[in-house]
Amino acid sequence: DAACPGNVFAAPPMEYVYECTKRMTTKKGVLHLINNYQGDRMVFDMAREMAEADGIKIGVVIIDDDVAVQDSAHTVGRRGVAGNFFVIKACGAAAEQGASLEELVTLGKKVNSVVRTMGMALTSCTPPEKGSTIFDIADDEIEIGIGIHGEPGRRRAKLEAADVIVDELFEAVANDLPFKKGDKVGLMINGMGGTPFSELYLLNRKAALNCKERGFKVARNYVGNYCTSLEMAGFSLTLVRLDDELECLMAAPAEIPIRVF
């Protein structure tokens, strides 16, 4: 994967994806939810071809919720970032309720079509394999529109007040779909790995106020580390438009093997 120097954020090996697919095989098949990065898509495409040759039925959903850039040297179109949470959550809940593979693909594409994200970073991160930061940024600088692998954003700027940063990300996200007055939404403030919860809730307060000013009804709130970049300091803001079906799926019970708060 050529996404980053030193192969520090490489896509998983094709053989690994293939073996995982085989182990997860059910009578209904296997669903691949893929963030839109060139390396990831290439690896999953090869693994899918091998699995299908074994008679395994594969469904594919490409996630590309990042509004920061339309294209870059690291992607084929928009990147998949924290909006992947909503695709995964909806499809997981629907699968638990007995949905078919075809229904899950349709659902995943539906969620992807109504979710938008944009992020920012105050620091870089240090992948253990590389042992040094993947990009340089000064203490008084921020990167607006960062990707989860350290890909460049829309602009490099001087550090600004939290409310100003939220405003910029919120406007970019809300205007992209676009979301409109009266929409029922899920709001996520996602930490990039190194931002304290206290700061994430401060950011969430401003984003919620922006929703109120726009006439959005916030039906679901998410604050925490959902899609991180190791110890990077920063956050992303996600909005997803909810209808009755999606709100029900987001409210479905789920368990994870770690305590997040």
Side-chain angles (χ1 to χ4, degrees):
D1 183 7
C4 282
N7 203 31
V8 294
F9 276 106
M14 183 273 294
E15 294 83 2
Y16 175 80
V17 177
Y18 170 61
E19 288 299 325
C20 287
T21 299
K22 287 201 301 180
R23 293 178 184 180
M24 294 179 179
T25 300
T26 69
K27 293 180 180 179
K28 293 183 178 181
V30 177
L31 179 64
H32 283 175
L33 302 176
I34 308 169
N35 279 346
N36 193 36
Y37 295 91
Q38 187 172 10
D40 296 72
R41 292 188 62 170
M42 178 180 66
V43 165
F44 274 84
D45 279 347
M46 290 189 294
R48 174 185 53 80
E49 290 175 359
M50 291 180 65
E52 288 177 338
D54 290 339
I56 301 172
K57 189 176 182 181
I58 306 292
V60 176
V61 177
I62 304 297
I63 303 167
D64 57 356
D65 56 302
D66 189 5
V67 307
V69 292
Q70 183 59 47
D71 204 352
S72 78
H74 313 293
T75 69
V76 281
R78 291 188 169 188
R79 306 176 293 216
V81 285
N84 60 14
F85 165 86
F86 294 99
V87 181
I88 295 167
K89 181 64 175 71
C91 288
E96 187 72 15
Q97 295 169 11
S100 69
L101 184 61
E102 292 77 12
E103 289 170 332
L104 293 179
V105 170
T106 298
L107 175 63
K109 291 179 178 179
K110 172 184 175 179
V111 180
N112 184 66
S113 73
V114 294
V115 64
R116 299 291 188 273
T117 302
M118 188 167 169
M120 61 80 63
L122 293 91
T123 70
S124 182
C125 62
T126 305
E129 183 177 337
K130 187 170 187 288
S132 59
T133 56
I134 58 176
F135 64 90
D136 295 322
I137 186 169
D139 290 342
D140 63 344
E141 290 183 324
I142 56 176
E143 182 80 17
I144 296 291
I146 195 73
I148 55 176
H149 306 121
E151 301 93 344
R154 286 188 174 183
R155 66 186 182 94
R156 178 72 59 92
K158 292 297 182 180
L159 182 63
E160 299 175 288
D163 284 0
V164 174
I165 297 171
V166 171
D167 282 343
E168 179 171 351
L169 269 58
F170 185 90
E171 290 301 309
V173 169
N175 293 334
D176 190 85
L177 194 55
F179 293 83
K180 60 184 184 298
K181 185 176 181 179
D183 278 347
K184 183 166 51 176
V185 301
L187 170 63
M188 172 185 283
I189 298 296
N190 166 65
M192 299 301 289
T195 304
F197 273 88
S198 58
E199 295 184 12
L200 295 179
Y201 275 98
L202 181 150
L203 300 165
N204 183 71
R205 171 190 174 276
K206 175 56 175 170
L209 290 173
N210 287 3
C211 285
K212 183 177 180 179
E213 291 173 3
R214 284 286 196 103
F216 305 161
K217 178 184 177 182
V218 180
R220 306 281 303 177
N221 273 295
Y222 302 86
V223 182
N225 294 313
Y226 293 92
C227 184
T228 66
S229 186
L230 299 176
E231 86 286 14
M232 180 183 287
F235 77 100
S236 62
L237 186 155
T238 301
L239 286 173
V240 57
R241 180 185 290 160
L242 299 174
D243 57 16
D244 291 343
E245 177 192 27
L246 296 186
E247 187 175 8
C248 182
L249 291 171
M250 295 305 159
E255 295 182 0
I256 58 174
I258 61 171
R259 183 175 180 177
V260 296
F261 193 74

XYZ file of all heavy atoms in Angstrom, residues 20 36 42 65-66 115 119 137 185 200-201 233-234 238 246 260:
115
model
N -9.968 -14.405 6.887
C -11.047 -13.888 7.744
C -12.400 -14.079 7.064
O -13.389 -14.446 7.716
C -10.821 -12.414 8.042
S -9.479 -12.085 9.211
N -12.796 3.855 1.584
C -12.388 4.136 0.209
C -10.936 4.628 0.128
O -10.668 5.820 -0.021
C -13.326 5.169 -0.422
C -13.133 5.255 -1.921
O -12.872 4.252 -2.587
N -13.261 6.452 -2.473
N -7.991 -2.542 -3.280
C -7.254 -3.530 -4.056
C -7.172 -4.858 -3.301
O -7.429 -5.931 -3.863
C -5.851 -3.009 -4.352
C -4.973 -3.998 -5.117
S -3.320 -3.320 -5.424
C -2.691 -3.203 -3.748
N -17.330 8.939 3.133
C -18.072 10.030 3.771
C -17.288 11.324 3.941
O -17.854 12.343 4.341
C -18.566 9.580 5.145
C -17.435 9.098 6.051
O -16.717 8.159 5.656
O -17.270 9.636 7.164
N -15.993 11.325 3.661
C -15.137 12.487 3.941
C -15.374 13.612 2.938
O -15.132 13.434 1.739
C -13.676 12.051 3.913
C -12.719 13.129 4.404
O -13.200 14.184 4.858
O -11.502 12.908 4.340
N -24.445 10.200 5.138
C -23.499 10.511 6.202
C -22.327 11.297 5.630
O -21.825 10.993 4.538
C -23.011 9.221 6.913
C -22.238 8.312 5.971
C -22.178 9.555 8.147
N -12.600 16.193 9.374
C -11.760 16.178 10.561
C -10.654 17.202 10.539
O -10.437 17.899 9.542
N 4.118 19.110 11.897
C 3.192 20.220 12.106
C 3.653 20.975 13.341
O 4.023 20.365 14.359
C 1.736 19.721 12.252
C 0.769 20.894 12.331
C 1.584 18.779 13.429
C -0.687 20.470 12.202
N -31.096 14.044 12.821
C -29.712 13.663 12.560
C -29.092 12.941 13.751
O -29.545 13.059 14.887
C -28.836 14.897 12.206
C -29.371 15.614 10.984
C -28.734 15.851 13.398
N -13.612 16.838 23.852
C -14.586 16.349 22.873
C -15.996 16.826 23.227
O -16.776 17.198 22.342
C -14.540 14.824 22.804
C -13.245 14.191 22.294
C -13.361 12.668 22.302
C -12.913 14.685 20.888
N -16.324 16.826 24.522
C -17.655 17.298 24.926
C -17.793 18.803 24.739
O -18.884 19.301 24.426
C -17.943 16.896 26.371
C -18.490 15.500 26.481
C -17.670 14.428 26.804
C -19.834 15.249 26.220
C -18.165 13.138 26.874
C -20.343 13.957 26.284
C -19.506 12.909 26.609
O -20.007 11.627 26.668
N -3.757 14.044 18.096
C -4.664 14.986 18.739
C -5.488 15.669 17.658
O -4.941 16.204 16.693
C -3.893 16.012 19.550
N -6.791 15.642 17.827
C -7.692 16.226 16.844
C -9.053 15.571 16.954
O -9.319 14.804 17.881
N -19.162 14.377 12.396
C -19.993 13.622 11.459
C -21.463 13.928 11.695
O -21.913 14.014 12.841
C -19.779 12.111 11.628
O -18.409 11.794 11.399
C -20.638 11.313 10.655
N -33.345 3.991 10.162
C -31.974 4.140 10.635
C -31.919 4.468 12.122
O -31.027 3.992 12.839
C -31.251 5.216 9.826
C -31.065 4.924 8.336
C -30.206 6.008 7.683
C -30.443 3.554 8.113
N -15.265 1.938 26.990
C -14.821 3.162 26.339
C -15.044 4.389 27.203
O -14.597 5.476 26.877
C -15.531 3.353 24.976
C -15.134 2.228 24.026
C -17.053 3.397 25.140
